[in-house]
Amino acid sequence: MPLWDKDMNESEKSLAITAEALFLFNLLLAPGLGFIALLMVYALKKSQANNLAANHLSQTVGVSLIGGVLIVCVIALIFLLGGFDSGYTWMVVVLYFTFIHSSLILMGVIGLVKALNGEHFRYPLIGKPFRA
Amino acid sequence: MQYQSQSVAKPYFIAAIGLFIGQILFGLVMGLQYVMGDFLFPEIPFNVARMVHTNLLIVWLLFGFMGSAYFLVPEESERELFSPKLALLLFWIFLIAGALTILGYLLVPYATLADLTGNELLPTMGREFLEQPTITKIGIVIVALGFLFNIGMTILGGRKTVVNLVLLTGLLGLAVFFLFSFYNPVNVVDDKFYWWWVVHLWVEGVWELILGAILAFVLIKVTGVDREVIEKWLYVIIAMSLITGIIGTGHHYYWIGTPEYWQWWGSIFSAMEPIPFFMMTIFAFNMVNRRRRDHPNKAAVLWALGTAVMAFLGAGVWGFMHTLAPVNYYTHGTQITAAHGHMAFYGAYVMIVLTMISYAMPIMRGQKAANMRAQVMEMWSFWLMTVSMVFITLFLTGAGVLQTYLQRYTDDPLPFMVVQDKIEIFYWLREIAGVVFIIGLVLYVISFFVKGNEAKVVADTA
């Protein structure tokens, strides 16, 4: 493989890894801040991203947005319908949040592993509309 | 099998599976007693069923760890076990002592058992999970010392690898911290403080080293990834386990009479406890994704990946859920704790022992992997047990959140037993999930006896 191809592949791979790492950072350590950082990387690097990096950038940004809606908006709706003063509402919220949040983390882990190995990844179900 | 002496692991694994079945049966009895209070009363009262359920868990996991060590260490050390005879002798001592203890719980009242076993000479009984008579505890120490001597001499005389040294450190820690079960001060705060040195520093400390070492060993074998890569991961994972887990003990000190600063130390360090489990998940998936060979034992690979995921969920996510002091103030000792306990023990320790059994058993029976029909049945058992454990956890979590709210959070709190009536439906659902679990376990046992074309499995993947 020519040297410039190898360099390009490595930069593609590190961009893909950055995208997946920020996706997880947003979920695990700094909700919101992680997403802003991911958006900045997306805006700055999108034009330079080829196949691999474009796939991971597009997937992580798209899935973060859908994940945000699934977590914030749906939970707000549950509280709106059930009210804060009901044990049943809290039960549904805790179970729902844990299910969605853990699923996103586990999918993010697989995404990161794929990026580390220079492979494409499409998030199951909610990653369908974004670049595969 | 590379070394003949590895075969001493076999009776340990068989005993482990037998006791596992017993544990689940008593779990089902207790589950029913939650909703039918008089079920099997007075023959098996709830407190006895609970004691048998939890003690059997500890004992069979110890059998599993010892069996895993006897299989793993000779191969890592590149030499035969120091003394296979000693390993077999200790097996029988441990099995007989364990069986007598369980029979003692079931056949005589606990106070009589204490009298019969001379507890007044060195009182150590009567504490949750450490209910064993003092004489049994002494037996456990003797078995542990003999086991460590055997494993230690094998490692010292052979190749030292990161995997066997981490395993040895974990097993040494297991034995050392068990010694605190003999310390039984009169002051209940002191008592609880050091009681956690056995319970917490086992499951959120040294046992994680054992888990990491076994997982690393199986992944080296089934993926063919360079040992150096796997060892680097193992170093980082165990470092994070100890950094977070040791001071993380503080999450048990919030409300037992210890100084208030433990609420800070406990919250901060235990909030970081999911990190090693998270890394373990990335580690396992990464190694399998980078595999350089297609190992014929698909079931073992599935168990290994399952361990990483379920340990992260059970120990990591469900642990974090109620670990911060302001949250734990409300949730302490509710069904949320039971939910966490079930999934964490299953995900981290049950599954790693089953991973090792899945990998080692066919080899000890002269095959590289079980035949495909047996593997398919084993994978069915994996899914039945794992999915039902997820449901057990979800039902208990639902019960726990409702219990916390109705009994402790609302402006008009309800009495304990009134709340128990309101969450009865969750206990029924948990029991149904428990029945599915035992069906999975029965399939698991049957999978060892399913016949098929063993040679084809190896030929297909050669």
Side-chain angles (χ1 to χ4, degrees):
Chain A
M1 182 190 295
L3 194 60
W4 60 87
D5 270 7
K6 198 180 169 200
D7 287 347
M8 199 179 76
N9 284 346
E10 281 306 310
S11 70
E12 281 279 297
K13 198 167 132 179
S14 57
L15 193 51
I17 294 168
T18 307
E20 296 291 350
L22 284 172
F23 175 81
L24 287 167
F25 183 71
N26 180 49
L27 282 168
L28 292 166
L29 291 173
L33 276 179
F35 183 61
I36 291 169
L38 179 61
L39 277 182
M40 283 168 64
V41 172
Y42 182 80
L44 293 171
K45 300 282 183 178
K46 192 190 160 201
S47 54
Q48 301 160 30
N50 287 320
N51 255 336
L52 180 73
N55 160 244
H56 284 273
L57 276 171
S58 164
Q59 285 288 321
T60 49
V61 170
V63 171
S64 293
L65 281 168
I66 294 183
V69 171
L70 284 173
I71 290 175
V72 179
C73 300
V74 174
I75 287 178
L77 190 69
I78 295 171
F79 273 125
L80 205 67
L81 295 173
F84 279 100
D85 298 329
S86 162
Y88 294 95
T89 309
W90 284 98
M91 183 190 76
V92 172
V93 165
V94 169
L95 289 175
Y96 174 78
F97 172 79
T98 310
F99 174 72
I100 297 288
H101 193 244
S102 302
S103 303
L104 288 169
I105 292 170
L106 289 176
M107 287 195 280
V109 166
I110 298 170
L112 179 62
V113 167
K114 293 286 183 189
L116 284 166
N117 291 294
E119 294 172 29
H120 287 240
F121 179 62
R122 192 174 77 186
Y123 282 74
L125 301 175
I126 53 175
K128 220 172 173 181
F130 311 106
R131 183 168 173 164
Chain B
M1 200 162 47
Q2 289 185 31
Y3 298 92
Q4 207 50 45
S5 56
Q6 287 177 286
S7 62
V8 297
K10 203 171 175 180
Y12 281 87
F13 289 150
I14 293 170
I17 295 169
L19 297 171
F20 183 23
I21 295 169
Q23 186 218 341
I24 302 308
L25 286 173
F26 277 90
L28 287 172
V29 167
M30 281 167 68
L32 217 48
Q33 287 175 338
Y34 261 90
V35 282
M36 295 163 64
D38 288 340
F39 180 67
L40 288 183
F41 186 84
E43 285 76 20
I44 306 177
F46 179 84
N47 62 316
V48 172
R50 185 178 189 274
M51 198 160 61
V52 175
H53 179 65
T54 54
N55 279 227
L56 277 176
L57 168 69
I58 296 165
V59 172
W60 87 256
L61 287 179
L62 292 179
F63 268 110
F65 290 162
M66 287 194 266
S68 302
Y70 284 131
F71 186 85
L72 181 159
V73 167
E75 210 163 306
E76 284 292 295
S77 305
E78 292 182 334
R79 55 162 291 183
E80 294 287 354
L81 192 64
F82 179 75
S83 172
K85 280 185 184 157
L86 177 63
L88 286 174
L89 175 72
L90 293 174
F91 166 77
W92 286 109
I93 292 174
F94 195 33
L95 188 65
I96 292 167
L100 286 176
T101 303
I102 299 296
L103 286 174
Y105 292 158
L106 290 168
L107 298 177
V108 293
Y110 190 68
T112 312
L113 185 65
D115 284 340
L116 285 174
T117 54
N119 185 59
E120 72 280 0
L121 298 172
L122 177 60
T124 66
M125 292 175 72
R127 293 172 298 164
E128 196 183 8
F129 310 133
L130 302 180
E131 295 94 347
Q132 310 84 37
T134 304
I135 194 165
T136 305
K137 289 195 182 88
I138 293 169
I140 292 173
V141 171
I142 291 168
V143 169
L145 287 176
F147 164 73
L148 282 171
F149 170 74
N150 209 355
I151 292 292
M153 290 303 284
T154 311
I155 293 173
L156 283 175
R159 182 177 67 149
K160 283 100 188 153
T161 66
V162 176
V163 172
N164 63 20
L165 290 176
V166 169
L167 180 73
L168 184 63
T169 312
L171 294 167
L172 204 63
L174 185 153
V176 167
F177 286 115
F178 185 69
L179 295 178
F180 285 94
S181 70
F182 290 94
Y183 182 55
N184 190 10
V186 175
N187 182 312
V188 284
V189 178
D190 274 350
D191 175 28
K192 271 288 176 189
F193 191 92
Y194 291 105
W195 179 81
W196 284 116
W197 285 31
V198 186
V199 178
H200 174 93
L201 290 178
W202 264 19
V203 298
E204 289 170 68
V206 292
W207 283 26
E208 285 182 36
L209 271 58
I210 300 169
L211 159 66
I214 299 174
L215 187 62
F217 173 78
V218 174
L219 287 174
I220 288 172
K221 298 294 170 187
V222 297
T223 64
V225 172
D226 285 344
R227 173 180 288 277
E228 289 72 25
V229 177
I230 288 183
E231 287 177 345
K232 278 177 195 156
W233 274 93
L234 184 58
Y235 272 131
V236 183
I237 288 169
I238 63 152
M240 285 312 296
S241 296
L242 296 176
I243 289 167
T244 59
I246 292 173
I247 302 182
T249 316
H251 63 223
H252 300 292
Y253 293 164
Y254 295 158
W255 329 114
I256 64 168
T258 46
E260 208 171 322
Y261 57 73
W262 279 113
Q263 291 178 24
W264 284 98
W265 285 109
S267 295
I268 292 165
F269 277 84
S270 61
M272 293 191 289
E273 278 190 57
I275 295 171
F277 290 104
F278 176 68
M279 292 172 68
M280 220 177 276
T281 313
I282 297 177
F283 164 58
F285 276 88
N286 201 12
M287 294 309 110
V288 172
N289 203 52
R290 289 173 63 172
R291 69 186 176 276
R292 284 155 44 169
R293 69 166 77 111
D294 259 331
H295 198 278
N297 196 338
K298 310 286 178 217
V301 178
L302 181 64
W303 280 112
L305 289 175
T307 302
V309 171
M310 292 298 286
F312 169 65
L313 290 176
V317 175
W318 257 263
F320 182 80
M321 195 183 275
H322 60 146
T323 204
L324 301 176
V327 175
N328 194 269
Y329 179 74
Y330 293 101
T331 61
H332 192 88
T334 62
Q335 292 297 330
I336 294 174
T337 311
H340 163 56
H342 277 81
M343 201 192 242
F345 260 103
Y346 176 74
Y349 301 119
V350 170
M351 289 183 85
I352 194 61
V353 171
L354 297 186
T355 301
M356 191 62 178
I357 294 176
S358 181
Y359 173 73
M361 243 351 184
I363 295 172
M364 286 189 287
R365 298 167 87 191
Q367 307 153 4
K368 196 171 182 188
N371 66 73
M372 221 44 227
R373 283 180 64 210
Q375 283 197 49
V376 168
M377 183 170 281
E378 192 182 338
M379 289 192 248
W380 265 99
S381 78
F382 168 93
W383 286 111
L384 281 173
M385 285 196 272
T386 304
V387 172
S388 59
M389 183 51 77
V390 168
F391 276 97
I392 288 173
T393 306
L394 291 175
F395 295 140
L396 288 176
T397 307
V401 175
L402 213 51
Q403 181 187 10
T404 303
Y405 187 88
L406 296 173
Q407 197 182 308
R408 295 178 179 171
Y409 189 75
T410 176
D411 293 335
D412 191 15
L414 298 172
F416 177 83
M417 287 312 288
V418 174
V419 174
Q420 290 301 305
D421 274 346
K422 288 188 182 290
I423 57 180
E424 193 183 343
I425 179 72
F426 293 101
Y427 293 143
W428 276 113
L429 293 169
R430 182 265 299 267
E431 185 71 358
I432 294 167
V435 171
V436 177
F437 188 96
I438 203 162
I439 293 170
L441 181 53
V442 169
L443 279 186
Y444 178 75
V445 174
I446 293 173
S447 76
F448 289 103
F449 302 99
V450 172
K451 300 275 178 227
N453 191 349
E454 276 81 7
K456 192 173 178 302
V457 175
V458 181
D460 282 351
T461 50

